[in-house]
């Protein structure tokens, strides 16, 4: 049996991994692991020594087997990253907020089946009860406050938002994205609300509560929350973005947290994984509740547990979450069948490094994804002409999303999904990872089946209005009580633009009559009794139908 060995490849790389633990505890051949570790080294070597970088930590059987640090924590002062450098974990933070809620339930101070208005009466009564469990599983229907702020022209990081600001934006919303329990729509509002509930129920802030019941017991000595962005945090790594060859600091200068805002290290994240997965969190253990998923109102399964995705990655069972806040990036995955955890924190958002975590995972976890079944192709080739009765513009009522189908010489195309779209039957087209199923041609109706099984229903509408003279009817000033801001629709260079604030213009692309798309969302105009555009609705992925009323 070899002696315990700590291998440090170089001073600059600052890597530590323990071969002994693999040989004695995990029973992997030393040479095999050394070869794998060297391959991981090469992946991490893509981070330059004089640029932002990352921490990577790997554990198996609860034992740390690899820890690597590469790059700079502070480019301005030429401070390199170390094992003790702390970065933000983005939405990886959500599992800690959820854990605190479950602990408060165990302490008898709340129930996840409680109406959230019991603790946050500032929210409107939408006629359907929103329960704390809806917040946990992202099924509440509450619009994402940051997405609403984005529509208002003041996205996150442009203002010093707090949880109180987030609550104020939530309280202004007159409608929900969906009926509670109907759909999974990822919304940071859910987790900012739980941070507020934790403080109101326990009498301690989320930062204080989690420090006492999670960080200290789990041995996470380098972990805290960004509850005051101006607080001095020892060993904090600065976050960066890169434009061309220029690096810029890109920090989350806000105090809203619970949805994100965890300041930690890769090794501390593994300590947490080891702590709760071994059943040490809660008395008795809360592990089963942390991993409990929910069902939608229609009985279908939602794979989002308590701040954790229960997923399949490379064909393997996984408990995972990723994160992004300002220039910080994070990912943590646990594979139960291999008892393997991988934690990664980076202080740069540049795309050059976007695939690094996946490359490391692929070295460690065998791809067991079964091959896709052969596409059901019809025995007789289906001519594109058969779809002519279905072509044209479609609208969707939940979010005002538009779909435009048209024919080119080589096939059927969609403004939203490109093309050519492959016919699967005389009434079905393959569209990206989803499919379009035509229900009728008169009236025109279809449904779009997404890759996750979610169904969006569309109905035929009139073609888009184009031309400067026709577009002029939309020009005007619109005010929203939901954003407390004004937005202006103007005609410039023959196109319709939205101006949320001075110096910012959003180009609208016509999709159907009164419906437009823009980079990141959709807009549609609602007409009054005189058939004139009166209201303007803006939707994006996490906030549906934010209302703006035309000013006379």
């Amino acid at each position: 049996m070899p002696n315990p060995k700590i291998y440090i490849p170089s001073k600059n790389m600052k890597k530590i991994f323990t071969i002994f633990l693999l040989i004695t505890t995990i029973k992997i051949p030393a040479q095999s692991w050394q070869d794998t570790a060297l391959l991981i080294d090469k992946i991490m070597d893509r981070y330059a020594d004089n640029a932002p970088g990352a921490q990577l930590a790997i554990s198996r059987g609860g034992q740390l087997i690899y820890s690597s640090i590469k790059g700079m924590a502070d480019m301005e002062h030429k401070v390199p990253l170390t094992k003790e450098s702390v970065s933000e974990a983005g939405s990886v933070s959500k599992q800690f907020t959820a854990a605190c809620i479950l602990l408060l339930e165990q302490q008898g101070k709340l129930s996840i089946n409680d109406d959230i208005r019991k603790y946050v009466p500032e929210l409107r009564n939408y006629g359907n009860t929103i329960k704390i469990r809806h917040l946990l599983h992202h099924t509440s229907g509450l619009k994402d406050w940051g997405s609403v702020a984005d529509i208002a022209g003041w996205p996150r990081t442009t203002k010093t938002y707090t949880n109180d600001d987030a609550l104020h934006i939530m309280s202004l919303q007159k409608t929900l994205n969906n009926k509670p329990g109907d759909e999974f729509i990822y919304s940071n509002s859910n987790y900012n609300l739980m941070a507020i509930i934790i403080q109101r129920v326990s009498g301690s802030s989320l930062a204080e509560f989690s420090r006492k019941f999670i960080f200290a017991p789990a041995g996470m000595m380098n972990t805290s929350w960004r509850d005051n962005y101006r607080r001095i945090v020892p060993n904090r790594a600065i976050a960066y973005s890169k434009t061309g060859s220029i690096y810029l600091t890109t920090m989350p200068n806000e105090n809203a947290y619970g949805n994100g805002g965890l300041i930690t290290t890769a090794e501390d994240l593994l300590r947490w994984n080891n702590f709760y997965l071994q059943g040490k969190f809660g008395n008795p253990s809360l592990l089963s509740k942390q991993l409990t998923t929910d069902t939608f109102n229609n009985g279908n399964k939602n794979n989002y547990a308590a701040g954790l995705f229960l997923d399949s990655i490379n064909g393997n069972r996984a408990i995972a979450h990723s994160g992004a806040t300002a220039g910080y990036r994070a990912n943590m995955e646990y594979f139960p069948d291999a008892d393997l955890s991988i934690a990664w924190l980076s202080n740069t958002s540049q795309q050059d490094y976007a695939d690094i975590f996946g490359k490391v995972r692929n070295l460690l976890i065998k791809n067991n994804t079964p091959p896709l079944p052969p596409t059901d192709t019809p025995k007789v080739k289906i001519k594109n002409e058969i779809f002519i009765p279905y072509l044209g513009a479609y609208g969707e009522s939940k979010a005002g999303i538009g779909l435009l189908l048209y024919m080119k010489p080589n096939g059927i195309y969609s403004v939203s999904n490109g093309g050519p779209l492959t016919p699967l039957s005389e009434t079905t087209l393959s569209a990206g990872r989803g499919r379009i199923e035509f229900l009728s041609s008169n009236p025109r109706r279809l449904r779009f089946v997404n890759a996750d099984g979610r169904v969006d229903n569309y109905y035929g509408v009139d073609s888009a209005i184009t031309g400067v003279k026709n577009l002029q009817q939309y020009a005007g000033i619109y005010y929203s009580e939901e954003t407390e801001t004004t937005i202006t629709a103007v005609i410039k260079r023959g196109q319709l633009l939205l101006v949320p604030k001075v110096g910012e213009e959003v180009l609208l692309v016509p999709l159907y009559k009164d419906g437009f798309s823009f980079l990141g969302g959709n807009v549609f105009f609602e007409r009054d009794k005189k058939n004139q555009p009166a209201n303007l609705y803006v939707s994006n992925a996490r906030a549906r139908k934010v209302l703006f009323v035309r000013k006379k």
Side-chain angles (χ1 to χ4, degrees):
M1 180 77 64
N3 292 324
K5 179 181 179 183
I6 303 294
Y7 174 50
I8 305 177
S10 72
K11 181 179 179 181
N12 291 332
M13 297 291 285
K14 298 183 178 66
K15 302 181 180 83
I16 300 175
F17 49 88
T18 310
I19 303 298
F20 175 72
L21 289 170
L22 286 165
I23 300 169
T24 59
T25 308
I26 315 303
K27 298 182 180 179
I28 293 178
Q31 187 58 49
S32 172
W33 172 246
Q34 284 179 317
D35 293 342
T36 301
L38 290 173
L39 290 174
I40 298 174
D41 288 349
K42 288 182 180 179
I43 295 172
M44 290 295 287
D45 281 344
R46 286 174 55 187
Y47 291 106
D49 290 331
N50 62 347
Q55 298 173 340
L56 175 70
I58 303 167
S59 69
R60 185 169 286 176
Q63 301 291 333
L64 180 69
I65 60 174
Y66 183 96
S67 186
S68 175
I69 307 95
K70 187 70 186 291
M72 302 293 290
D74 185 338
M75 294 179 67
E76 189 170 0
H77 299 98
K78 298 181 179 179
V79 178
L81 281 164
T82 69
K83 287 199 305 176
E84 288 73 35
S85 298
V86 292
S87 296
E88 290 206 19
S91 288
V92 174
S93 313
K94 285 182 169 65
Q95 59 197 278
F96 296 89
T97 306
C100 291
I101 285 287
L102 294 178
L103 188 59
L104 283 171
E105 183 180 49
Q106 188 177 75
Q107 294 173 353
K109 296 180 179 178
L110 57 75
S111 166
I112 63 170
N113 288 311
D114 286 342
D115 183 340
I116 61 173
R117 296 186 72 247
K118 176 179 179 181
Y119 308 104
V120 194
E122 296 95 322
L123 293 176
R124 293 173 185 257
N125 183 348
Y126 294 102
N128 293 287
T129 301
I130 302 173
K131 300 178 180 180
I132 294 176
R133 68 179 177 86
H134 292 133
L135 305 180
L136 281 170
H137 304 299
H138 287 301
T139 59
S140 69
L142 291 167
K143 297 174 188 176
D144 179 81
W145 68 270
S147 298
V148 175
D150 195 4
I151 290 171
W154 294 99
R156 290 175 56 189
T157 74
T158 59
K159 287 186 176 182
T160 309
Y161 290 107
T162 66
N163 280 350
D164 287 339
D165 293 325
L167 176 57
H168 177 68
I169 293 172
M170 289 180 235
S171 69
L172 295 174
Q173 304 312 301
K174 298 181 178 182
T175 59
L176 297 172
N177 282 334
N178 54 270
K179 180 181 176 182
D182 266 7
E183 295 181 65
F184 171 92
I185 297 181
Y186 194 91
S187 174
N188 285 305
S189 295
N190 296 318
Y191 278 74
N192 293 99
L193 267 186
M194 285 195 287
I196 292 170
I197 291 172
I198 289 165
Q199 180 155 358
R200 294 183 178 183
V201 169
S202 71
S204 300
S205 68
L206 168 62
E208 296 165 343
F209 191 84
S210 52
R211 185 183 304 116
K212 178 178 179 181
F213 292 104
I214 296 179
F215 304 157
M220 302 170 69
M221 295 299 105
N222 293 309
T223 300
S224 61
W225 289 95
R226 188 233 319 117
D227 53 342
N228 178 355
Y229 83 97
R230 299 179 65 184
R231 177 167 53 89
I232 295 173
V233 179
N235 301 316
R236 174 155 44 191
I238 305 301
Y240 299 90
S241 59
K242 188 179 184 183
T243 303
S245 60
I246 304 299
Y247 281 100
L248 297 172
T249 57
T250 310
M251 294 292 288
N253 296 321
E254 63 182 25
N255 295 330
Y257 78 111
N259 59 316
L262 189 78
I263 303 173
T264 189
T265 67
E267 291 190 10
D268 263 14
L269 288 177
L270 292 189
R271 291 184 180 98
W272 162 244
N273 253 22
N274 186 44
F275 184 70
Y276 87 85
L277 289 168
Q278 290 187 1
K280 297 178 181 178
F281 176 65
N283 186 21
S285 171
L286 286 166
L287 177 60
S288 63
K289 290 200 171 185
Q290 289 174 276
L291 302 184
T292 295
T293 56
D294 206 357
T295 55
F296 299 116
N297 293 334
N298 63 7
N300 291 340
K301 185 180 178 181
N302 175 11
N303 71 341
Y304 196 88
L308 297 161
F309 282 101
L310 303 192
D311 216 336
S312 175
I313 300 176
N314 284 0
N316 297 270
R317 292 187 305 140
I319 301 168
H321 216 299
S322 60
T325 300
Y328 293 110
R329 296 293 182 268
N331 210 339
M332 184 160 67
E333 295 175 355
Y334 172 69
F335 296 89
D337 297 328
D339 201 6
L340 180 80
S341 295
I342 312 171
W344 169 78
L345 292 169
S346 176
N347 63 328
T348 176
S349 61
Q350 64 193 94
Q351 286 300 309
D352 311 28
Y353 306 139
D355 63 338
I356 282 182
F357 184 88
K359 286 183 176 296
V360 171
R361 175 213 297 133
N362 293 342
L363 282 176
L364 300 168
I365 297 296
K366 182 181 178 182
N367 193 337
N368 294 320
T369 305
L372 292 174
T375 304
D376 293 331
T377 55
K379 295 179 181 179
V380 180
K381 183 178 180 181
I382 297 173
K383 294 183 179 180
N384 290 317
E385 285 72 19
I386 201 168
F387 294 100
I388 288 177
Y390 301 113
L391 301 183
Y394 290 83
E396 185 271 344
S397 59
K398 286 189 298 186
I401 299 172
L403 181 66
L404 179 61
L405 295 172
Y406 59 97
M407 182 178 285
K408 293 173 68 172
N410 64 332
I412 308 295
Y413 281 74
S414 162
V415 167
S416 303
N417 296 283
L421 307 180
T422 305
L424 299 178
S425 74
E426 293 185 350
T427 57
T428 307
L429 292 170
S430 174
R433 297 181 61 201
R435 66 183 185 274
I436 294 171
E437 297 178 352
F438 296 102
L439 304 177
S440 68
S441 59
N442 186 22
R444 287 183 295 117
R445 291 176 54 244
L446 66 81
R447 66 178 195 166
F448 191 96
V449 182
N450 295 271
D452 59 3
R454 180 170 51 87
V455 175
D456 295 322
N457 293 298
Y458 289 78
Y459 51 92
V461 291
D462 292 337
S463 299
I465 292 174
T466 58
V468 174
K469 185 176 180 180
N470 294 326
L471 290 174
Q472 193 65 45
Q473 63 184 296
Y474 300 114
I477 299 173
Y478 299 79
Y479 177 76
S480 173
E481 293 180 353
E482 295 182 295
T483 65
E484 297 182 314
T485 59
T486 296
I487 199 167
T488 306
V490 299
I491 308 295
K492 280 190 178 182
R493 301 177 292 278
Q495 296 173 310
L496 182 63
L497 306 175
L498 289 185
V499 182
K501 63 183 180 182
V502 175
E504 185 174 325
E505 296 179 346
V506 178
L507 173 65
L508 298 185
V509 178
L511 281 182
Y512 59 93
K513 182 182 178 181
D514 299 333
F516 302 79
S517 68
F518 64 91
L519 186 61
N522 290 81
V523 169
F524 76 92
F525 293 83
E526 185 177 65
R527 293 179 179 268
D528 59 19
K529 294 179 180 179
K530 296 181 180 180
N531 200 32
Q532 295 299 311
N535 296 330
L536 178 160
Y537 292 91
V538 184
S539 297
N540 58 32
R542 299 180 182 177
R544 291 175 174 172
K545 298 177 74 170
V546 176
L547 172 64
F548 287 77
V549 177
R550 191 170 193 164
K551 297 178 71 174
K552 296 182 180 179

